[in-house]
Amino acid sequence: MTELLRMSALELLQGYQDKQFSPVDAAQAMLRQIERCNPVVNAFNLVDAETTLNLARDSEQRYQQGNTKGLLDGVPVAIKDVFLTPQWPTIKGSKTIDPKSTLGKEAPSVAALNRNGAVPLGKTTTPEFGWKGVTDNPVDGVTCNPWNPEKTAGGSSGGSAAAVPLGMGPLALGTDAGGSIRIPAGFSGLVGLKPSFGEVPHWPASPFGTLAHAGPMTWTVPDCALLMNVLAEADSRDTNAIPRRNIDYLSALNGEPEDLLRGVHIAFSATLGYVQVDREVEESVRAAAKLLQSLGAEVTEVAPGFDDPLAAFGHLFYGGAANALRDIGKKQRSLMDPQLVAVSEKAAQLSMLDYLEAVNERAGLCERMAAFHKKYDLLLTPTLPITAFKAGREVPEDWPSTRWPSWTPFTYPFNMTGQPAISVPCGFDGAGLPIGLQLVAARFNDTAVLQAAHAYQLAAPLTDKRPALFDEHVEQGAATGASL
């Protein structure tokens, strides 16, 4: 069982082909791991073992008949509870959504998984409507960090992030409108990619508009590339999707680290010129920059030269929150996360000129980064300036601001620009909490961030290190995920 839980998606696929084990074996092992670990971290808010095992048996039969389906046949996947799944309700952590109203509908990413034979494990927890950088909601309670359940897993894709390190699935889906893939990837010690805007089709359109991306969360970079090959499949329902480029992201990773980094110009900035960063975080990311340089990349310490766009991002993002709540009345709002209601009501008072000023600032940021990437292929930063803090809080204790974007300054600028950005584990702090590095490339150069991340992970692998909870015996019902 433990061996299957440690395997990457690519290793599972090879094992299926070689008939060493079957998709049913893998699904059963991961369902048992969910039963053991989920009471502690609250990664999944819905598990339907019968459906999962039936789909695994269908896959097993296809392997027996030599008639496999797509790129992920039999691979278990955790699905964030903002993606529509036809067989399961999608409630987005909210008491205001009628679960039955969402059945029979399928998001593009879910449809792509189904076309490729993936086996869904269940739905993973999210803050209400995915509105913040930590994960708790009025329906499901608090999601905790797999390395230390007293800490947050991050958010809004916190459930997906908590699942992967604990072997509750090698692949997971996340969304990211301000860092919601990369924040929990950084805090929880896994790989998380926010693709270029439009590369992964997304439907229905997010209330957060063009800030919102869908993408993969995995244990290894090759698995991330494999899942990207699936998620990037065409879906005509997304009117913002770019024309399909049919890039084989997995094949693009072939080669040694030196091959992948040869001739690559990397700008390293520990602070973006304005961020206060924890000492251990900066030391870890600075060591990663030196390692990439030793492997052949040309690394220059330089900031991209923009001021903190937090105010503009706040107008755009919280305007999206107000958009999400536009049809929700006062009575239903009383059932919601009160902080989500507060920020949405405040944003609803913005004038059109306030919003357009933020749009103008966003356009200027896009232009600056486009010019920056004419000289530098990649920008390397910390994913986050801090490591995970106490679960159940929006901000760390004694933090000067009350809102989550104040501690995520490395992520939200690149939602505004639509660039690809990936978080990869690069170490641990003195308390054993993960530290992540972020790699950002010019828009539509998703291959570059995957190649550099893979080169780093090959040279400095942390994939053999799992949380203590991975192997510990867990008493059923000993949950630390608290209700709001």
Side-chain angles (χ1 to χ4, degrees):
M1 173 182 168
T2 302
E3 209 169 305
L4 287 171
L5 300 179
R6 291 184 181 277
M7 288 187 180
S8 68
L10 287 164
E11 288 169 336
L12 289 173
L13 288 166
Q14 189 62 56
Y16 300 157
Q17 291 286 355
D18 296 343
K19 296 184 169 49
Q20 296 175 357
F21 44 81
S22 77
V24 174
D25 296 327
Q28 287 176 333
M30 289 168 197
L31 287 168
R32 285 197 296 270
Q33 186 75 338
I34 292 169
E35 189 176 351
R36 287 197 328 111
C37 297
N38 200 57
V40 177
V41 296
N42 191 27
F44 286 86
N45 68 316
L46 183 153
V47 179
D48 174 7
E50 183 179 359
T51 296
T52 295
L53 289 172
N54 284 338
L55 291 169
R57 291 184 190 106
D58 291 343
S59 175
E60 182 178 64
Q61 190 171 36
R62 290 193 293 270
Y63 277 98
Q64 290 170 349
Q65 296 171 347
N67 185 30
T68 54
K69 181 180 177 181
L71 299 177
L72 292 177
D73 206 340
V75 177
V77 184
I79 300 171
K80 183 179 180 180
D81 193 27
V82 297
F83 291 92
L84 291 167
T85 46
Q87 73 276 33
W88 295 326
T90 303
I91 63 169
K92 303 181 182 179
S94 183
K95 295 178 180 179
T96 67
I97 293 178
D98 176 6
K100 292 180 181 178
S101 71
T102 67
L103 295 174
K105 302 171 184 177
E106 189 173 49
S109 292
V110 175
L113 291 175
N114 291 337
R115 286 193 301 270
N116 284 272
V119 175
L121 288 163
K123 306 297 284 288
T124 60
T125 48
T126 174
E128 193 164 17
F129 294 119
W131 82 273
K132 59 184 174 181
V134 295
T135 299
D136 57 62
N137 68 62
V139 179
D140 308 308
V142 177
T143 296
C144 302
N145 193 293
W147 300 87
N148 180 346
E150 294 182 357
K151 305 293 185 180
T152 180
S156 63
S157 306
S160 289
V164 173
L166 291 172
M168 295 192 281
L171 306 178
L173 295 186
T175 56
D176 189 319
S180 288
I181 286 173
R182 291 158 292 152
I183 294 165
F187 274 175
S188 301
L190 65 154
V191 177
L193 172 66
K194 179 187 77 68
S196 294
F197 182 77
E199 178 67 356
V200 172
H202 196 44
W203 176 90
S206 169
F208 299 99
T210 55
L211 293 174
H213 305 58
M217 303 179 74
T218 64
W219 192 239
T220 70
V221 177
D223 272 6
C224 189
L226 171 67
L227 187 48
M228 271 296 292
N229 283 352
V230 170
L231 300 181
E233 290 181 357
D235 194 301
S236 61
R237 293 174 292 173
D238 184 354
T239 56
N240 286 315
I242 63 173
R244 297 301 88 189
R245 299 182 291 162
N246 300 315
I247 297 170
D248 186 341
Y249 287 110
L250 183 58
S251 293
L253 303 188
N254 291 338
E256 298 299 315
E258 293 83 358
D259 301 320
L260 296 170
L261 293 171
R262 187 174 295 117
V264 175
H265 293 247
I266 300 176
F268 166 57
S269 179
T271 68
L272 289 180
Y274 53 81
V275 180
Q276 269 198 310
V277 179
D278 177 84
R279 178 184 57 80
E280 289 180 290
V281 171
E282 180 169 349
E283 287 175 355
S284 186
V285 178
R286 191 172 289 279
K290 289 180 180 176
L291 177 59
L292 291 169
Q293 186 171 37
S294 74
L295 294 170
E298 184 178 318
V299 179
T300 305
E301 187 161 0
V302 58
F306 58 78
D307 295 329
D308 187 356
L310 178 58
F313 171 76
H315 286 357
L316 298 170
F317 185 86
Y318 292 129
N323 187 31
L325 273 62
R326 65 164 60 236
D327 296 322
I328 297 177
K330 186 175 181 180
K331 185 175 180 180
Q332 282 191 304
R333 290 187 183 208
S334 68
L335 304 174
M336 299 181 73
D337 181 337
Q339 298 307 314
L340 169 58
V341 174
V343 297
S344 67
E345 290 180 349
K346 183 177 180 181
Q349 304 306 311
L350 287 171
S351 72
M352 179 64 75
L353 286 179
D354 290 334
Y355 188 84
L356 289 176
E357 183 181 8
V359 170
N360 291 341
E361 186 170 339
R362 176 183 188 168
L365 182 60
C366 290
E367 291 171 10
R368 177 170 287 278
M369 290 309 299
F372 184 77
H373 284 294
K374 286 184 178 180
K375 184 172 183 180
Y376 301 103
D377 301 299
L378 294 164
L379 172 64
L380 168 63
T381 74
T383 304
L384 295 152
I386 57 175
T387 53
F389 51 88
K390 187 176 179 180
R393 297 181 55 87
E394 185 181 339
V395 299
E397 292 179 284
D398 301 320
W399 195 252
S401 172
T402 60
R403 289 288 167 245
W404 68 267
S406 62
W407 51 264
T408 66
F410 294 108
T411 59
Y412 58 76
F414 308 110
N415 291 86
M416 297 172 72
T417 60
Q419 295 173 247
I422 194 168
S423 179
V424 182
C426 66
F428 296 86
D429 71 5
L433 292 167
I435 296 169
L437 65 82
Q438 177 178 237
L439 291 157
V440 184
R443 195 170 172 197
F444 308 128
N445 198 3
D446 301 64
T447 301
V449 295
L450 285 163
Q451 287 176 329
H454 182 50
Y456 177 77
Q457 198 172 59
L458 284 173
L462 295 173
T463 50
D464 288 341
K465 185 176 175 63
R466 294 276 185 167
L469 179 60
F470 182 94
D471 294 310
E472 283 176 1
H473 175 71
V474 179
E475 291 291 338
Q476 292 304 309
T480 59
S483 297
L484 286 174

